[in-house]
Amino acid sequence: MTPPPTPRVIIIGAGIVGCSLADELTERGWTNVTVVDQGPLFATGGSSSHAPGLVFRTNAAKTLTEFADYTARKFGGLDLDGQPCFQQVGGLELATTAARWDDLQRKHGLATSWGIRSELLTPRECVRLWPTIDRDQVLGGFHTPEDGLAKALRACEAQARRAIARGAVFLAHHEVLGIEQRGGRVSSVVTDRGAFPADIVVSAAGLWGPKIGRMVGVDVPLLPMAHQYAKTTPLAELGGLGDELHDARRPILRHQDADLYFREHFDRLGIGSYAHRPMPVDLAELPSVAEAQVMPSMLEFTEADFAPSWQRALELLPALRDAKVEEGFNGIMSFTTDGMPLLGESRQVPGFWLAEAVWVTHSAGVARALAQWLIDGRSTTDLHECDVHRFEQVQLGADYVRERAAQAFVEVYDVLHPLQPAEHPRPLRTSPFYPRQQQLGAFFLEAGGWERPQFYESNAPLADGLALPPRGAWAARYWSPIAAAEAKATRERVALYDMTPLKRLEISGHGALEFLQRMTTGQLDRKPGAVSYALLLDEAGGVRSDLTVARLEHDHFQVGVNGNLDLDWFRRHAPDDGSVVIRDMTAGTCCVGVWGPRARDLVQPLTREDFSHRGLGYFKARRATIAGVPVTAMRVSYVGELGWEIYADADGGLRLWDALWEAGQELGVVAAGRSAFNSLRLEKGYRAWGIDMTTEHNPYEAGVGFAVQLDKGDFVGRRALTELADQPLRRKLVPLLFEHPEHVVLGKEPVYCADSAIGYVTSAAYGYTIDRSIAYAWLPAHAAAPGTRVAVEYFAERLPATVAAEPLFDPEMARIRR
């Protein structure tokens, strides 16, 4: 039987991403691939053509680490006419300050968590690898022996040749002028040399990505920025080290305290700098390939910007005093607002895909993931941090992208705390409660553009006298003992939590129930007033998200989701016959969580509705009026206490808060923030999607199998789960309790058992109710039984802990059901 024809794929851009993708697609059998580029092959004039090729694999993002690891391994196995495409020289990061040395110790933990071989070095060991370093400046180093240098142009051509041998076509000097659509999806790519029919178009145009996106009306939120790179005159110390095939022998050197990196070029040294001012680039001002002096992505070197960096380089490497900068350029690279790539298919223009803001470091890994996504419908690597639809609308404006991306450039080598928020532009989004939160001295962090209280200074007196274990400076950042007081008040009295930033959708229409039954794992065919906890899965059974679904009327549901990706997922799968209407209601509404043993004493006097346990049971919802404000109250609790999520239109939000606040004074009500919230939810074992579980995990190993109703009928992912249901688990998400209360970690640390790294931490916090430090971690099943003794590496120290049974607090659920 003749196999069906594969889709016609046009890839725009023959840089490292386009070439890698053509190779990955054709290797999987999609051979009808055409790659077009405005420049010559394979030095096309984009970022790949001048990139220094550094492949440092360790990253706080597990996804980027996997991308870089695959890139290093793939390019390490490639050659072009006998010339290697990758030199495994290793990487060496230096600490010249105490803060950087702490950061390198944490980075060693990240490397271990993600399976990257690394070691911490003494100053003497650093000098052994780089003899000309001024040893007196160095406190220590972080060595990754399997990192190295990608030869981007060789890797481009080597992969292109393989793709061409399988049937792909590469076309140079084809400038894309437009992308045509037919029947609501892409149909062809128009170039200055003719049009090419297409079923799928992938923009891998790098810094020109926004220009390509505008051709189909798609926002590509990246900012092209110039980055300085210079080469020195010949250095005697490097003479004789290189050879015809290997222009570098020593590890790539990073001096991040000065925002510098160094790599060898035979007898010269290349120096890259992130120390200069941000230099955004206007695409309209770039020369064409024909007009460019060298290439469009290489701008004139601005010596004044580099002068401070040269001085810092001399301080670290005194041997440079006899050299000078012989040549340099300002090379253009792509930056996004959060430092992550832009991957995925446009929902507005089906068939138009993005593979943008991808550096050489991650190129082959991105290409593999995208090829899997295109062909199989999903990537084996979780991509939620890279999905182009992750942003809220407020994060797509040109001014926002420019300001945040410029800050991302400044922070490339900064020591960043995992809770550290961006400082500008703020505030962007505030709940109706914001004026009162300011009056109460809220300390705000930011996510999705929302101002989110972490704790309230007004509660500081409640923290006086609390016996809390000391915590280190890193764990104490963005934390206050006030969080303990707020958690205590929630457990003992009642607290108000601003839940407004959590995204909520209205899904209605005569097809709404059938649609949600097909999309989620829960049994939603229940009477109006029922609330369900359910999951969104992909076809392989991976957890895309977790939801609360309230059936408010027969054909009207309110769905609490985790973010814009869930909205995109629902809209992609909604029927086009008008039977289902999906509306993002977040901006027009607000939500306050009223939780604690005295929550009913607070709410009941303000409403004529019956808020008793019999009148409004656990996981039930009701429309009501509280203090004259129309609300929807859901009897759910993410902190493990009696109470409700109370939703109202935004225009009534401040009145609602004020009424609850005033009525709660005699009950000892407090406003509480996210720090207390996170502690309380971990005591109950409640998962946070995107942190504790992703598409890489199935519900059973993630501990949320109770949300799967296999007997309700078909749903997305059901077939995969039926095969998994009776299989033994290979790994589990489990709670750890530390032996010493002062041991508080933050997440992503490696977990050891019998001196072997076996897993990693997801969420962590101090449990103020149980008076123990908690961490949730992914462990292999053989080490996941309660009582198993493990250790968590934190700042290069192994902290003893024990696997515990969950939930850690109120296993009978007595407090939440009263």
Side-chain angles (χ1 to χ4, degrees):
M1 181 180 294
T2 303
T6 60
R8 296 169 297 181
V9 180
I10 305 291
I11 300 172
I12 301 173
I16 193 66
V17 179
C19 291
S20 296
L21 180 58
D23 184 37
E24 295 287 337
L25 287 173
T26 56
E27 184 181 36
R28 289 166 172 79
W30 278 24
T31 56
N32 197 347
V33 174
T34 301
V35 184
V36 298
D37 200 288
Q38 64 183 349
L41 302 178
F42 286 91
T44 60
S47 301
S48 302
S49 303
H50 64 69
L54 282 61
V55 181
F56 281 97
R57 293 168 300 157
T58 305
N59 193 286
K62 179 173 178 284
T63 296
L64 291 188
T65 301
E66 291 183 3
F67 286 165
D69 184 51
Y70 180 76
T71 299
R73 288 187 287 110
K74 181 179 183 181
F75 290 178
L78 286 177
D79 71 84
L80 182 70
D81 299 328
Q83 295 185 318
C85 295
F86 185 79
Q87 292 179 232
Q88 188 177 292
V89 295
L92 176 62
E93 299 181 36
L94 300 179
T96 61
T97 64
R100 183 66 60 183
W101 179 235
D102 288 344
D103 189 55
L104 295 187
Q105 292 177 78
R106 287 189 298 272
K107 189 168 285 187
H108 177 261
L110 286 170
T112 305
S113 289
W114 310 148
I116 303 300
R117 187 160 70 91
S118 68
E119 57 185 343
L120 293 169
L121 303 183
T122 65
R124 180 190 297 272
E125 291 169 324
C126 293
V127 173
R128 188 177 301 131
L129 291 175
W130 261 84
T132 54
I133 292 171
D134 181 354
R135 177 177 163 181
D136 292 339
Q137 289 198 43
V138 178
L139 300 179
F142 171 66
H143 182 220
T144 45
E146 293 165 1
D147 288 349
L149 296 166
K151 301 294 184 178
L153 295 184
R154 289 182 198 168
C156 283
E157 186 168 354
Q159 292 178 101
R161 287 185 185 180
R162 300 200 316 187
I164 291 168
R166 302 180 190 117
V169 174
F170 280 70
L171 300 174
H173 304 295
H174 280 62
E175 181 181 359
V176 175
L177 304 177
I179 299 172
E180 296 181 325
Q181 302 177 48
R182 184 180 301 116
R185 62 176 297 118
V186 298
S187 60
S188 66
V189 172
V190 180
T191 77
D192 58 352
R193 298 193 177 193
F196 297 85
D199 302 303
I200 293 169
V201 175
V202 181
S203 177
L207 62 100
W208 291 282
K211 177 181 177 181
I212 300 299
R214 284 193 291 272
M215 294 178 182
V216 288
V218 171
D219 287 321
V220 181
L222 67 79
L223 182 68
M225 303 254 291
H227 159 62
Q228 291 199 301
Y229 192 77
K231 290 183 182 179
T232 68
T233 51
L235 298 171
E237 64 173 288
L238 298 180
L241 290 183
D243 57 37
E244 185 175 343
L245 297 182
H246 303 87
D247 65 349
R249 293 293 185 179
R250 294 177 182 173
I252 309 162
L253 184 66
R254 288 207 280 190
H255 181 21
Q256 291 165 297
D257 288 319
D259 292 310
L260 297 174
Y261 63 83
F262 306 85
R263 59 148 297 183
E264 295 173 352
H265 292 280
F266 291 104
D267 59 349
R268 304 164 195 264
L269 202 59
I271 306 173
S273 171
Y274 292 102
H276 55 81
R277 61 191 167 89
M279 301 178 187
V281 174
D282 185 345
L283 292 179
E285 298 178 358
L286 284 185
S288 67
V289 173
E291 297 168 338
Q293 212 169 27
V294 181
M295 62 180 69
S297 63
M298 292 178 67
L299 305 181
E300 184 178 354
F301 189 61
T302 50
E303 294 183 11
D305 289 304
F306 193 74
S309 294
W310 178 250
Q311 292 303 314
R312 295 298 301 272
L314 287 173
E315 293 169 8
L316 181 71
L317 301 171
L320 289 175
R321 64 183 177 271
D322 296 325
K324 63 180 181 179
V325 174
E326 185 171 66
E327 59 179 295
F329 62 93
N330 291 3
I332 304 176
M333 303 166 65
S334 299
F335 282 80
T336 58
T337 57
D338 59 4
M340 301 296 286
L342 303 172
L343 309 179
E345 182 185 21
S346 166
R347 189 178 66 254
Q348 293 79 14
V349 186
F352 181 73
W353 287 71
L354 293 176
E356 299 292 8
V358 181
W359 293 6
V360 171
T361 308
H362 309 113
S363 55
V366 163
R368 178 182 65 168
L370 200 63
Q372 291 174 337
W373 198 351
L374 281 161
I375 296 171
D376 304 328
R378 71 185 296 270
S379 165
T380 53
T381 297
D382 175 68
L383 300 179
H384 81 273
E385 293 177 291
C386 306
D387 194 309
V388 69
H389 296 285
R390 65 189 181 269
F391 300 109
E392 296 291 325
Q393 191 62 39
V394 72
Q395 297 172 303
L396 296 174
D399 291 341
Y400 179 94
V401 171
R402 185 180 182 90
E403 188 165 359
R404 285 287 174 95
Q407 187 61 28
F409 175 89
V410 171
E411 294 176 346
V412 164
Y413 280 170
D414 284 2
V415 177
L416 299 177
H417 192 277
L419 294 178
Q420 186 169 332
E423 295 182 3
H424 305 285
R426 289 176 64 187
L428 278 176
R429 310 173 81 185
T430 59
S431 82
F433 318 137
Y434 186 66
R436 301 297 183 260
Q437 293 166 343
Q438 288 179 302
Q439 292 169 8
L440 294 170
F443 177 77
F444 293 99
L445 300 184
E446 183 260 5
W450 287 100
E451 296 296 317
R452 303 174 71 162
Q454 187 75 347
F455 52 82
Y456 293 83
E457 287 294 339
S458 59
N459 295 323
L462 301 178
D464 292 343
L466 291 182
L468 297 174
R471 58 170 67 194
W474 190 248
R477 288 186 66 184
Y478 306 103
W479 173 86
S480 167
I482 294 170
E486 293 174 358
K488 188 173 188 290
T490 307
R491 292 280 190 238
E492 295 180 354
R493 300 188 303 278
V494 61
L496 306 183
Y497 289 83
D498 184 1
M499 307 302 290
T500 302
L502 299 183
K503 200 171 191 71
R504 45 202 166 273
L505 312 177
E506 179 186 75
I507 299 182
S508 59
H510 64 83
L513 174 62
E514 180 184 358
F515 173 64
L516 287 170
Q517 286 282 78
R518 176 168 56 86
M519 295 301 297
T520 75
T521 62
Q523 175 53 270
L524 307 181
D525 190 5
R526 303 166 64 193
K527 293 180 180 179
V531 180
S532 302
Y533 176 78
L535 307 174
L536 291 181
L537 306 179
D538 62 22
E539 290 290 355
V543 181
R544 281 193 59 95
S545 189
D546 61 343
L547 322 167
T548 53
V549 184
R551 191 177 195 182
L552 301 180
E553 298 173 7
H554 183 75
D555 293 332
H556 184 184
F557 295 81
Q558 181 173 315
V559 184
V561 300
N562 281 294
N564 217 48
L565 292 181
D566 296 339
L567 173 61
D568 177 65
W569 183 252
F570 277 129
R571 285 181 170 167
R572 285 181 185 277
H573 290 81
D576 56 10
D577 59 4
S579 62
V580 177
V581 178
I582 302 170
R583 182 174 73 91
D584 182 355
M585 58 189 291
T586 313
T589 56
C590 59
C591 178
V592 56
V594 184
W595 291 310
R598 305 210 66 182
R600 188 173 286 120
D601 298 334
L602 172 55
V603 174
Q604 186 62 77
L606 300 176
T607 181
R608 294 184 179 182
E609 300 292 332
D610 184 2
F611 272 59
S612 69
H613 182 61
R614 180 181 295 273
L616 183 56
Y618 185 53
F619 262 71
K620 300 294 182 184
R622 160 175 299 161
R623 289 196 171 106
T625 299
I626 294 177
V629 180
V631 304
T632 299
M634 296 187 195
R635 179 86 183 276
V636 295
S637 171
Y638 205 52
V639 300
E641 293 293 335
L642 168 68
W644 303 268
E645 291 179 355
I646 301 176
Y647 298 88
D649 288 342
D651 58 1
L654 194 57
R655 176 183 172 91
L656 175 64
W657 178 280
D658 286 346
L660 292 167
W661 184 256
E662 182 179 352
Q665 292 308 299
E666 63 183 24
L667 303 174
V669 70
V670 302
R674 299 289 300 183
S675 186
F677 182 87
N678 192 53
S679 169
L680 296 170
R681 70 103 177 166
L682 285 179
E683 289 182 331
K684 286 297 295 177
Y686 295 148
R687 276 55 169 156
W689 184 84
I691 298 174
D692 297 317
M693 57 187 182
T694 68
T695 54
E696 295 181 4
H697 311 108
N698 70 60
Y700 305 116
E701 59 192 11
V704 290
F706 64 87
V708 176
Q709 305 297 325
L710 288 175
D711 58 355
K712 74 160 186 173
D714 196 25
F715 56 85
V716 175
R718 183 181 183 277
R719 177 178 298 180
L721 291 193
T722 56
E723 299 174 1
L724 291 170
D726 297 325
Q727 295 181 10
L729 298 179
R730 295 183 299 107
R731 58 184 175 179
K732 290 182 67 176
L733 181 65
V734 295
L736 310 179
L737 291 177
F738 289 89
E739 292 185 9
H740 303 291
E742 67 272 19
H743 290 163
V744 179
V745 302
L746 296 178
K748 302 185 180 180
E749 297 86 1
V751 180
Y752 286 80
C753 184
D755 282 334
S756 296
I758 59 169
Y760 60 91
V761 171
T762 58
S763 298
Y766 191 81
Y768 303 110
T769 316
I770 65 172
D771 203 23
R772 297 287 298 275
S773 185
I774 307 166
Y776 266 76
W778 280 102
L779 300 181
H782 69 81
T788 304
R789 295 178 63 81
V790 296
V792 176
E793 182 183 312
Y794 184 63
F795 287 91
E797 180 183 359
R798 295 193 186 174
L799 312 180
T802 303
V803 178
E806 59 177 342
L808 304 171
F809 175 77
D810 188 27
E812 296 81 17
M813 300 286 285
R815 298 174 69 93
I816 206 168
R817 296 180 184 273
R818 52 183 153 194

PDB file of all heavy atoms in Angstrom, residues 268-281:
ATOM      1  N   ARG A 268      44.200  33.385  19.194  1.00  0.00           N
ATOM      2  CA  ARG A 268      43.539  34.609  19.644  1.00  0.00           C
ATOM      3  C   ARG A 268      42.450  34.254  20.652  1.00  0.00           C
ATOM      4  O   ARG A 268      42.041  33.101  20.780  1.00  0.00           O
ATOM      5  CB  ARG A 268      42.917  35.374  18.459  1.00  0.00           C
ATOM      6  CG  ARG A 268      43.922  35.709  17.378  1.00  0.00           C
ATOM      7  CD  ARG A 268      43.244  36.094  16.066  1.00  0.00           C
ATOM      8  NE  ARG A 268      44.220  36.056  14.975  1.00  0.00           N
ATOM      9  CZ  ARG A 268      44.869  37.121  14.546  1.00  0.00           C
ATOM     10  NH1 ARG A 268      44.648  38.297  15.083  1.00  0.00           N
ATOM     11  NH2 ARG A 268      45.755  37.017  13.558  1.00  0.00           N
ATOM     12  N   LEU A 269      41.979  35.270  21.316  1.00  0.00           N
ATOM     13  CA  LEU A 269      40.919  35.080  22.296  1.00  0.00           C
ATOM     14  C   LEU A 269      39.690  35.866  21.853  1.00  0.00           C
ATOM     15  O   LEU A 269      39.795  37.043  21.480  1.00  0.00           O
ATOM     16  CB  LEU A 269      41.378  35.571  23.671  1.00  0.00           C
ATOM     17  CG  LEU A 269      40.647  34.992  24.888  1.00  0.00           C
ATOM     18  CD1 LEU A 269      40.777  33.483  24.935  1.00  0.00           C
ATOM     19  CD2 LEU A 269      41.217  35.610  26.160  1.00  0.00           C
ATOM     20  N   GLY A 270      38.553  35.194  21.858  1.00  0.00           N
ATOM     21  CA  GLY A 270      37.291  35.864  21.603  1.00  0.00           C
ATOM     22  C   GLY A 270      36.652  36.250  22.930  1.00  0.00           C
ATOM     23  O   GLY A 270      36.659  35.474  23.886  1.00  0.00           O
ATOM     24  N   ILE A 271      36.104  37.466  23.001  1.00  0.00           N
ATOM     25  CA  ILE A 271      35.511  37.985  24.233  1.00  0.00           C
ATOM     26  C   ILE A 271      34.105  38.492  23.916  1.00  0.00           C
ATOM     27  O   ILE A 271      33.923  39.358  23.056  1.00  0.00           O
ATOM     28  CB  ILE A 271      36.344  39.146  24.817  1.00  0.00           C
ATOM     29  CG1 ILE A 271      37.807  38.721  24.990  1.00  0.00           C
ATOM     30  CG2 ILE A 271      35.754  39.608  26.147  1.00  0.00           C
ATOM     31  CD1 ILE A 271      38.714  39.881  25.391  1.00  0.00           C
ATOM     32  N   GLY A 272      33.131  37.943  24.596  1.00  0.00           N
ATOM     33  CA  GLY A 272      31.755  38.403  24.457  1.00  0.00           C
ATOM     34  C   GLY A 272      31.332  39.160  25.693  1.00  0.00           C
ATOM     35  O   GLY A 272      31.714  38.802  26.818  1.00  0.00           O
ATOM     36  N   SER A 273      30.539  40.217  25.504  1.00  0.00           N
ATOM     37  CA  SER A 273      30.156  41.069  26.630  1.00  0.00           C
ATOM     38  C   SER A 273      28.650  41.306  26.669  1.00  0.00           C
ATOM     39  O   SER A 273      28.035  41.645  25.647  1.00  0.00           O
ATOM     40  CB  SER A 273      30.868  42.419  26.542  1.00  0.00           C
ATOM     41  OG  SER A 273      30.359  43.313  27.507  1.00  0.00           O
ATOM     42  N   TYR A 274      28.087  41.118  27.879  1.00  0.00           N
ATOM     43  CA  TYR A 274      26.722  41.542  28.173  1.00  0.00           C
ATOM     44  C   TYR A 274      26.737  42.732  29.136  1.00  0.00           C
ATOM     45  O   TYR A 274      25.713  43.063  29.734  1.00  0.00           O
ATOM     46  CB  TYR A 274      25.926  40.399  28.802  1.00  0.00           C
ATOM     47  CG  TYR A 274      25.648  39.256  27.859  1.00  0.00           C
ATOM     48  CD1 TYR A 274      26.391  38.081  27.922  1.00  0.00           C
ATOM     49  CD2 TYR A 274      24.645  39.348  26.912  1.00  0.00           C
ATOM     50  CE1 TYR A 274      26.151  37.030  27.056  1.00  0.00           C
ATOM     51  CE2 TYR A 274      24.387  38.305  26.040  1.00  0.00           C
ATOM     52  CZ  TYR A 274      25.143  37.142  26.122  1.00  0.00           C
ATOM     53  OH  TYR A 274      24.886  36.107  25.256  1.00  0.00           O
ATOM     54  N   ALA A 275      27.900  43.361  29.282  1.00  0.00           N
ATOM     55  CA  ALA A 275      28.039  44.435  30.266  1.00  0.00           C
ATOM     56  C   ALA A 275      27.572  45.782  29.727  1.00  0.00           C
ATOM     57  O   ALA A 275      27.382  46.715  30.505  1.00  0.00           O
ATOM     58  CB  ALA A 275      29.500  44.541  30.711  1.00  0.00           C
ATOM     59  N   HIS A 276      27.416  45.878  28.427  1.00  0.00           N
ATOM     60  CA  HIS A 276      27.090  47.186  27.851  1.00  0.00           C
ATOM     61  C   HIS A 276      25.592  47.477  27.941  1.00  0.00           C
ATOM     62  O   HIS A 276      24.783  46.617  28.301  1.00  0.00           O
ATOM     63  CB  HIS A 276      27.563  47.252  26.398  1.00  0.00           C
ATOM     64  CG  HIS A 276      27.029  46.142  25.532  1.00  0.00           C
ATOM     65  ND1 HIS A 276      25.768  46.157  24.983  1.00  0.00           N
ATOM     66  CD2 HIS A 276      27.600  44.965  25.136  1.00  0.00           C
ATOM     67  CE1 HIS A 276      25.577  45.063  24.269  1.00  0.00           C
ATOM     68  NE2 HIS A 276      26.669  44.310  24.351  1.00  0.00           N
ATOM     69  N   ARG A 277      25.244  48.685  27.571  1.00  0.00           N
ATOM     70  CA  ARG A 277      23.850  49.109  27.556  1.00  0.00           C
ATOM     71  C   ARG A 277      23.051  48.250  26.576  1.00  0.00           C
ATOM     72  O   ARG A 277      23.595  47.763  25.565  1.00  0.00           O
ATOM     73  CB  ARG A 277      23.774  50.571  27.127  1.00  0.00           C
ATOM     74  CG  ARG A 277      24.334  50.804  25.728  1.00  0.00           C
ATOM     75  CD  ARG A 277      24.511  52.268  25.372  1.00  0.00           C
ATOM     76  NE  ARG A 277      25.315  52.408  24.158  1.00  0.00           N
ATOM     77  CZ  ARG A 277      24.812  52.429  22.918  1.00  0.00           C
ATOM     78  NH1 ARG A 277      23.506  52.345  22.737  1.00  0.00           N
ATOM     79  NH2 ARG A 277      25.616  52.560  21.880  1.00  0.00           N
ATOM     80  N   PRO A 278      21.761  48.049  26.829  1.00  0.00           N
ATOM     81  CA  PRO A 278      20.938  47.368  25.826  1.00  0.00           C
ATOM     82  C   PRO A 278      20.922  48.154  24.518  1.00  0.00           C
ATOM     83  O   PRO A 278      20.853  49.383  24.522  1.00  0.00           O
ATOM     84  CB  PRO A 278      19.545  47.345  26.471  1.00  0.00           C
ATOM     85  CG  PRO A 278      19.788  47.493  27.937  1.00  0.00           C
ATOM     86  CD  PRO A 278      21.004  48.368  28.058  1.00  0.00           C
ATOM     87  N   MET A 279      21.007  47.442  23.411  1.00  0.00           N
ATOM     88  CA  MET A 279      21.047  48.079  22.087  1.00  0.00           C
ATOM     89  C   MET A 279      19.966  47.465  21.195  1.00  0.00           C
ATOM     90  O   MET A 279      20.244  46.609  20.346  1.00  0.00           O
ATOM     91  CB  MET A 279      22.413  47.882  21.433  1.00  0.00           C
ATOM     92  CG  MET A 279      23.587  48.437  22.206  1.00  0.00           C
ATOM     93  SD  MET A 279      25.144  48.082  21.326  1.00  0.00           S
ATOM     94  CE  MET A 279      26.366  48.635  22.520  1.00  0.00           C
ATOM     95  N   PRO A 280      18.709  47.862  21.385  1.00  0.00           N
ATOM     96  CA  PRO A 280      17.643  47.346  20.516  1.00  0.00           C
ATOM     97  C   PRO A 280      17.883  47.741  19.074  1.00  0.00           C
ATOM     98  O   PRO A 280      18.475  48.794  18.777  1.00  0.00           O
ATOM     99  CB  PRO A 280      16.384  48.028  21.072  1.00  0.00           C
ATOM    100  CG  PRO A 280      16.750  48.479  22.442  1.00  0.00           C
ATOM    101  CD  PRO A 280      18.213  48.781  22.408  1.00  0.00           C
ATOM    102  N   VAL A 281      17.424  46.896  18.165  1.00  0.00           N
ATOM    103  CA  VAL A 281      17.654  47.100  16.735  1.00  0.00           C
ATOM    104  C   VAL A 281      16.317  47.241  16.025  1.00  0.00           C
ATOM    105  O   VAL A 281      15.398  46.445  16.239  1.00  0.00           O
ATOM    106  CB  VAL A 281      18.450  45.922  16.140  1.00  0.00           C
ATOM    107  CG1 VAL A 281      18.562  46.047  14.630  1.00  0.00           C
ATOM    108  CG2 VAL A 281      19.833  45.838  16.777  1.00  0.00           C
TER     109      VAL A 281
END
